[in-house]
Amino acid sequence: IKSKTVTKLCGVHDIITVNDQFPGPTLHVSNGDTLEVKVFNYAQYNVTIHWHGIRQMRTAWADGPEFVTQCPIRPGGSYTYRFTITEQEGTLWWHAHSSWLRATVYGALIIYPKKGTNYPFLEPCHETEPIILGEWWNKNPIDVVNEATRTGAAPNISDAFTINGQPGDLYQCSSSETYTLYVKPGNSYLLRVINAGLNTELFFSIANHVFIVVAVDASYTKPYETCVIMVGPGQTTDVILIANQPIGKYYMAARAYASAQGVPFDNTTTTAILQYEGIDLLTYFKSPAMPNLPAYNDTAAETKFSCGLRSLASVDHPANVPHKIDENLFFTLGLGLLNCPPFQSCGGPNNTRFAASFNNISFVLPQTFSLLQAHYYGIHGIFARDFPDNPPVQFDYTARNVSRNLWSPVKDTKVKVLKYNTAVQIILQGTNIFAAESHPVHLHGYDFYIVGEGFGNYNPVLDPLKFNLIDPPMRNTVAVRVNGWAAIRFVADNP
């Protein structure tokens, strides 16, 4: 991990990279393989690497989140990650899990089926290199988040989105570097789409072409045709693309799904080019066709896509959805405001500081030991074990005008303790405290079934009647709907 000078958006920037690559190297492994990755930190910042979506069965020391499962790798230091891929296949990814280093420190992690087994769908003619969507800041991302942390203001929005590290033709000084994917007419291709962005959910499409979704977050789905996919930060989507259009050039494009009203967002569009082999010169110099992407705030398009996803639920890839629940948890999530400390000036609304929270607790990372160290070695005073199963106050979570008395969370370091092998249900309830928006929520060490989703406040009597317990999608990251909720289930089988 080291600094590298790159030219992008008409400027020269020093970014943190892995092996001098941006995006970083793709790792190709098979189900059942054991990986050993030694990370040397030659950058000026503390760093860790998270293997996003890997179950880490009894290898939590290798998971990577800073001060959660390990202390950071200091500049000049190294750390070896060892873990085994256990009954997982598909597209995952890896990224820095320290401050905002993952703005540039990320790459794909592709898991192929074991030898002698096949994909549970008709194998395509070719597999492309991964399509990695990212967010780009002209300013050093570490400075961006440090400034937001210091003042309490919202961090500056990104200056561009990228496809495989390149912004594309619609940005200044970028056309010569636009990523191009070459295809043969009539052939089928497996595209692995990853959203490596920090904050923004993205719509993605290719002009005049149809996707067949076959997997999300390294979990197989029933084949699902769509012209556009929505990929939240941390999510992956595998699609089959058939090159069945007239020979030419077509834009693939991504832009924001921005569900919060009145909140600034990056409204630019990143593009790459899908180019057919055999193209003639006249067609080559024509401007590529542009896909019809949904509007930035098109919640209906996002909902339609997520509602179309179903687990494969086959003999070889069953949907083992927990039916009897041992732990029923209800977590509110959203953005609140903290009062500014005395004699200070803060950058949030009306001299306040922004603070995200679950059940009114805004998490504070330890600074001396990681949570896993403190748990394993019995070190007291690092965290409390009484994270609440329910919010401290029940209210109309999605009301237009939530009482100002409910706007300020409490800063603390609390964990929820689960007994081994318990079946867990969590209702993730979005709130409208400062601004309602779609919230991506990622669970480390587990995949979970999304058994239900909806808008408004979750109804514990009526909504479970509509749960899908047959073939719900299995993911490691869920986008909790704007002013809505999601119900997830998993078995706590990974200490």
Side-chain angles (χ1 to χ4, degrees):
I1 296 181
K2 59 187 286 194
S3 181
K4 178 181 181 171
T5 301
V6 299
T7 301
K8 210 162 299 281
L9 297 185
C10 313
V12 177
H13 310 271
D14 285 327
I15 66 171
I16 306 301
T17 63
V18 170
N19 295 355
D20 279 331
Q21 298 175 46
F22 173 65
T26 296
L27 302 184
H28 299 267
V29 301
S30 295
N31 183 3
D33 283 353
T34 295
L35 281 74
E36 181 174 293
V37 184
K38 190 155 191 178
V39 178
F40 297 90
N41 184 9
Y42 297 149
Q44 67 268 41
Y45 306 108
N46 289 345
V47 71
T48 61
I49 300 292
H50 170 52
W51 315 94
H52 189 108
I54 294 293
R55 287 292 315 273
Q56 298 291 5
M57 296 299 289
R58 294 182 293 179
T59 50
W61 299 110
D63 192 46
E66 180 182 70
F67 287 117
V68 177
T69 60
Q70 70 173 98
C71 288
I73 310 166
R74 297 191 181 281
S78 66
Y79 188 83
T80 300
Y81 294 90
R82 295 184 188 87
F83 55 92
T84 299
I85 310 296
T86 306
E87 298 308 319
Q88 290 186 276
E89 299 173 8
T91 307
L92 297 174
W93 62 299
W94 56 265
H95 59 81
H97 209 300
S98 187
S99 185
W100 270 22
L101 285 178
R102 74 180 176 93
T104 56
V105 178
Y106 60 79
L109 173 55
I110 296 173
I111 308 169
Y112 296 104
K114 289 179 180 177
K115 284 184 179 178
T117 63
N118 299 310
Y119 293 120
F121 49 83
L122 188 62
E123 191 155 347
C125 304
H126 308 280
E127 179 177 325
T128 72
E129 64 179 299
I131 305 298
I132 308 181
L133 313 177
E135 282 184 271
W136 174 268
W137 278 260
N138 285 329
K139 193 174 179 180
N140 180 348
I142 303 300
D143 294 340
V144 172
V145 69
N146 285 349
E147 175 73 4
T149 303
R150 184 182 66 80
T151 65
N156 290 347
I157 61 173
S158 52
D159 295 288
F161 298 113
T162 58
I163 296 176
N164 289 352
Q166 301 300 337
D169 292 352
L170 305 185
Y171 299 88
Q172 288 185 316
C173 312
S174 300
S175 289
S176 63
E177 303 293 330
T178 296
Y179 175 76
T180 300
L181 176 64
Y182 298 94
V183 296
K184 294 179 180 180
N187 283 8
S188 58
Y189 294 83
L190 176 60
L191 274 62
R192 302 173 183 271
V193 185
I194 300 166
N195 185 350
L198 267 85
N199 301 320
T200 307
E201 297 172 301
L202 294 167
F203 289 120
F204 175 79
S205 184
I206 299 179
N208 299 356
H209 288 75
V210 174
F211 298 135
I212 304 171
V213 178
V214 292
V216 293
D217 293 1
S219 294
Y220 292 119
T221 64
K222 291 180 171 64
Y224 167 41
E225 286 194 8
T226 179
C227 293
V228 63
I229 62 175
M230 199 290 289
V231 199
Q235 291 184 331
T236 72
T237 304
D238 293 358
V239 302
I240 303 294
L241 174 82
I242 300 174
N244 57 4
Q245 294 301 300
I247 291 176
K249 295 199 297 185
Y250 302 83
Y251 273 131
M252 62 176 77
R255 74 177 181 196
Y257 165 51
S259 56
Q261 293 184 6
V263 175
F265 67 95
D266 182 343
N267 65 358
T268 62
T269 301
T270 180
T271 58
I273 293 172
L274 181 81
Q275 181 174 316
Y276 280 69
E277 289 187 8
I279 189 171
D280 60 60
L281 274 178
L282 189 64
T283 308
Y284 178 82
F285 286 105
K286 284 183 179 178
S287 183
M290 179 66 83
N292 292 316
L293 288 165
Y296 300 113
N297 62 348
D298 193 342
T299 294
E302 186 280 332
T303 303
K304 179 183 177 183
F305 174 71
S306 64
C307 285
L309 298 174
R310 292 285 184 269
S311 282
L312 190 57
S314 66
V315 173
D316 292 331
H317 302 278
N320 297 316
V321 186
H323 285 237
K324 181 180 178 296
I325 299 301
D326 304 307
E327 284 270 10
N328 215 326
L329 309 175
F330 188 95
F331 291 174
T332 55
L333 65 151
L335 195 61
L337 299 172
L338 297 172
N339 291 327
C340 195
F343 312 112
Q344 288 188 24
S345 178
C346 293
N350 302 315
N351 198 39
T352 57
R353 300 178 62 88
F354 281 113
S357 68
F358 275 105
N359 279 358
N360 208 48
I361 295 173
S362 191
F363 188 75
V364 180
L365 282 170
Q367 294 298 312
T368 52
F369 294 95
S370 71
L371 296 178
L372 189 60
Q373 280 178 291
H375 167 68
Y376 188 78
Y377 293 110
I379 302 167
H380 297 287
I382 304 299
F383 64 86
R385 295 171 175 266
D386 59 348
F387 186 90
D389 293 355
N390 296 281
V393 178
Q394 292 187 351
F395 59 98
D396 185 352
Y397 308 111
T398 55
R400 280 186 177 274
N401 296 297
V402 175
S403 168
R404 287 288 177 126
N405 296 329
L406 299 166
W407 281 41
S408 296
V410 176
K411 299 183 77 169
D412 212 335
T413 308
K414 293 178 180 289
V415 307
K416 169 63 184 173
V417 179
L418 297 170
K419 289 182 179 178
Y420 178 70
N421 244 10
T422 52
V424 183
Q425 175 174 285
I426 307 177
I427 305 300
L428 297 165
Q429 173 69 61
T431 58
N432 194 20
I433 288 177
F434 176 75
E437 63 179 326
S438 175
H439 290 287
V441 177
H442 171 51
L443 180 60
H444 288 228
Y446 292 91
D447 293 317
F448 50 76
Y449 292 100
I450 306 171
V451 296
E453 296 179 277
F455 292 102
N457 298 336
Y458 173 74
N459 185 314
V461 176
L462 298 179
D463 286 327
L465 301 176
K466 297 175 282 186
F467 281 180
N468 176 6
L469 303 180
I470 306 300
D471 59 353
M474 186 164 72
R475 306 202 74 145
N476 60 56
T477 305
V478 59
V480 180
R481 291 178 184 168
V482 54
N483 254 340
W485 56 270
I488 66 171
R489 290 185 179 188
F490 62 97
V491 175
D493 59 357
N494 187 13

